[in-house]
Amino acid sequence: MESYDVVVVGGGPAGLQFARELGRRTEADVAVLEANASLADNDKSTGGTFEQVIEGFDVPESVVMDASPDVIFEGPTASAHLAIPNYVLDFPAFLEWLGADAADRGVDVRTGVRVTAPVVEDGSVVGVRCRDGRAETTVRADLVVDASGPAGALTEKLGMWDRDAAQRGIGMEFEATGTFDEDAMVFKFDHEAAPGGYAWTFPAGEDAFKVGVCWIDDFYERHRTPDDGTIHDYVQAWADSDPRWEIDEVRAVHAGEARSDNSINRRADDGILAVGDAVSSINPLFGEGIRPALESARMAADVAVDALAAGDTSRERLATYERRWNREKGPNWKRQRVVGELLYDFDARQQDRFVERVGRLSPAQLDRLQRYELTLSDLLELYPFSPADLRKGPTLLRHVR
C-alpha cells in the first residue's frame, strides 16, 4: 500500500493543473494517476481556446498550433465575422507540458494506472483502489481529487454527480494537412452539416487545419435524417463541403464524448474534491472544456492549499470551492444551458437569425460572449423567437430551478 498527501485521479487539463498548483504552492507529496500509457494519449480535444487560458495559465508558444484574430459563425445561409482573438493548442503537447511542469515542481505523475474505486472509511474518502498493470493496489491520501473527466470515476460511485442525468454529446475531428483559406475559427450551425450540434474548421499551423462535427444526442435524434450515416461520415461530408479548405492528408482523428449539465453539482465531500468534467464543468453552450477545467482546478487548489495546511479536509472546509464555483459560474452556466437547449433545436431560419444577431453584437457584448458572461438582456437580444419554442417551456424551466 502506498500513500501520498494528495492523489489526483486523471491526467487531463484539470488534474494536471491542480497538481501543478499544489506543486508550486505547497510542499505536499502529490501524485497524479493517469489511466493511459502516456499523457498525450488522452487526446480528445480540438484544442480551441482563448486568451484567458494562454495568458492566465502561462501557456508557452511551443504548444500553440495557431492563433487567429476572428471567429466566423455561419448558419445554413447567414454568416458573421466576429473580432474574437483565439488560439488552437496542440492538445497532446499541452498535456505533456502541464505534466512536465507539475513533475518539475515535485509531483509524481504516473501513467498506466487505472483507478477503479474510492476507499471510504467512516464516511470520508481516504484513498483509491487502482490497477497498475496487472497488479491491484490501494493508494491512500489525506485528500483525493477526481479529475477523471466525464467518466466520473469517483464522483459517480460516491453519488456526487449523476452523469446519466447530464446531456451526452459526442464529437469527432480530422486533423489534416492541406489548404485552408480563412484566418479564423469557423463554426457552422446547420442541421445538414451537424444535426443537433455544430461543425467547425480551425487553423492548425502552416498548411494544416482541423475539421470536425459535434452534437448533443437529444437534438441529434430530432434533426437527423432517417438514412444518415455515422459521425465519421458527417465529418467527411463537412470536410468535402467547402472550397475554402481542401485536405491533402488526414494525419490524425480525434473523438470523444462530453456530459453537460448546469454545473451546479456536489464538488466537495469529506476527503475529496472534484474538478473539470468529473463534475461537469464544461461550458453548456458551446462545449469549451479546457478553460473551465483549468479554472475549476485553480479554484479547488485555492481551497486545498489552506485545508492541507490546517490538516482539515472535511466537506465543511472544502465546500468553499463548491460555493465559489456555484457563485461565479453557476448562474451563467444555468442561463447558457437554457440557451443551448434552444440553439441546438432551432430550425434553419432560426439558425440564420441567431447568426445574424450575433453579428450585430457590440465589442463589449462580444467580449462577454467569449467570456461566457452574457447578461439576460444580451441573451434576449440574440434569441430568434419562434412560436414553436413554446412547447419547450417545461424543459427550460427545469434548467433554471
Side-chain angles (χ1 to χ4, degrees):
M1 183 174 64
E2 302 172 88
S3 64
Y4 293 88
D5 296 321
V6 181
V7 166
V8 180
V9 180
L16 293 171
Q17 179 60 33
F18 181 92
R20 188 177 170 227
E21 294 276 348
L22 260 63
R24 178 175 64 86
R25 298 161 61 182
T26 74
E27 297 297 321
D29 192 11
V30 181
V32 175
L33 307 181
E34 164 58 36
N36 286 297
S38 76
L39 296 178
D41 290 342
N42 193 13
D43 187 11
K44 299 174 183 176
S45 171
T46 67
T49 194
F50 301 92
E51 63 183 359
Q52 290 85 2
V53 167
I54 303 301
E55 297 175 4
F57 295 89
D58 302 319
V59 177
E61 290 184 8
S62 61
V63 303
V64 177
M65 302 180 83
D66 213 314
S68 57
D70 297 318
V71 170
I72 300 173
F73 273 17
E74 297 179 343
T77 64
S79 180
H81 278 67
L82 313 175
I84 301 176
N86 58 83
Y87 301 83
V88 178
L89 300 177
D90 180 337
F91 192 68
F94 175 60
L95 294 177
E96 293 284 8
W97 168 73
L98 285 172
D101 191 65
D104 287 346
R105 300 175 189 275
V107 175
D108 187 6
V109 180
R110 299 169 54 179
T111 57
V113 182
R114 182 173 296 279
V115 171
T116 57
V119 176
V120 181
E121 295 178 359
D122 298 324
S124 180
V125 177
V126 297
V128 295
R129 286 194 289 274
C130 54
R131 185 177 299 111
D132 189 348
R134 294 184 177 180
E136 298 278 350
T137 187
T138 296
V139 181
R140 295 182 70 89
D142 296 326
L143 177 64
V144 173
V145 179
D146 190 352
S148 61
L154 304 181
T155 52
E156 264 278 288
K157 291 181 173 65
L158 293 167
M160 297 173 68
W161 177 52
D162 184 357
R163 71 189 296 270
D164 292 333
Q167 283 184 321
R168 178 179 180 268
I170 62 170
M172 176 180 285
E173 74 172 9
F174 299 164
E175 184 179 318
T177 58
T179 57
F180 179 49
D181 292 338
E182 293 283 5
D183 187 19
M185 285 182 169
V186 177
F187 292 86
K188 181 84 168 182
F189 301 93
D190 182 347
H191 295 307
E192 290 190 10
Y198 61 81
W200 70 85
T201 307
F202 293 170
E206 186 175 358
D207 300 324
F209 56 98
K210 299 180 177 186
V211 290
V213 168
C214 66
W215 59 58
I216 297 171
D217 286 355
D218 294 345
F219 304 123
Y220 164 75
E221 291 298 332
R222 288 183 208 168
H223 295 283
R224 63 184 286 263
T225 59
D227 57 348
D228 73 344
T230 65
I231 192 168
H232 187 282
D233 296 328
Y234 275 98
V235 178
Q236 187 66 63
W238 171 240
D240 295 340
S241 70
D242 198 301
R244 290 174 293 177
W245 51 82
E246 183 175 356
I247 290 178
D248 291 336
E249 179 184 5
V250 174
R251 64 188 185 191
V253 177
H254 312 136
E257 74 162 23
R259 301 275 177 158
S260 174
D261 56 26
N262 62 22
S263 87
I264 300 178
N265 298 302
R266 193 172 180 89
R267 293 175 172 265
D269 219 327
D270 291 332
I272 186 169
L273 292 167
V275 297
D277 286 338
V279 67
S280 187
S281 300
I282 189 172
N283 179 266
L285 181 54
F286 296 125
E288 185 191 356
I290 295 173
R291 184 176 12 163
L294 298 177
E295 290 173 340
S296 72
R298 180 167 283 172
M299 286 186 191
D302 288 344
V303 172
V305 168
D306 291 340
L308 291 167
D312 178 7
T313 58
S314 66
R315 169 169 167 79
E316 183 178 6
R317 184 96 187 198
L318 299 177
T320 302
Y321 153 59
E322 181 181 305
R323 291 191 294 271
R324 181 182 172 190
W325 176 276
N326 290 347
R327 180 178 68 251
E328 295 185 13
K329 300 293 185 182
N332 286 334
W333 262 230
K334 265 191 171 185
R335 284 193 294 268
Q336 290 171 51
R337 175 76 187 277
V338 171
V339 175
E341 285 280 334
L342 295 165
L343 172 61
Y344 298 115
D345 203 24
F346 283 163
D347 61 31
R349 178 62 187 131
Q350 285 179 296
Q351 288 173 325
D352 275 339
R353 289 165 59 204
F354 169 75
V355 167
E356 290 163 356
R357 292 180 181 203
V358 171
R360 294 195 292 267
L361 292 177
S362 70
Q365 288 174 309
L366 284 180
D367 184 63
R368 291 198 292 273
L369 174 67
Q370 72 89 14
R371 291 177 182 275
Y372 305 125
E373 295 175 356
L374 288 171
T375 65
L376 181 58
S377 176
D378 294 332
L379 294 171
L380 291 173
E381 190 174 327
L382 289 174
Y383 176 35
F385 174 74
S386 167
D389 293 340
L390 293 173
R391 63 179 169 80
K392 304 170 190 174
T395 299
L396 300 180
L397 287 172
R398 187 171 70 245
H399 296 316
V400 299
R401 288 173 183 162

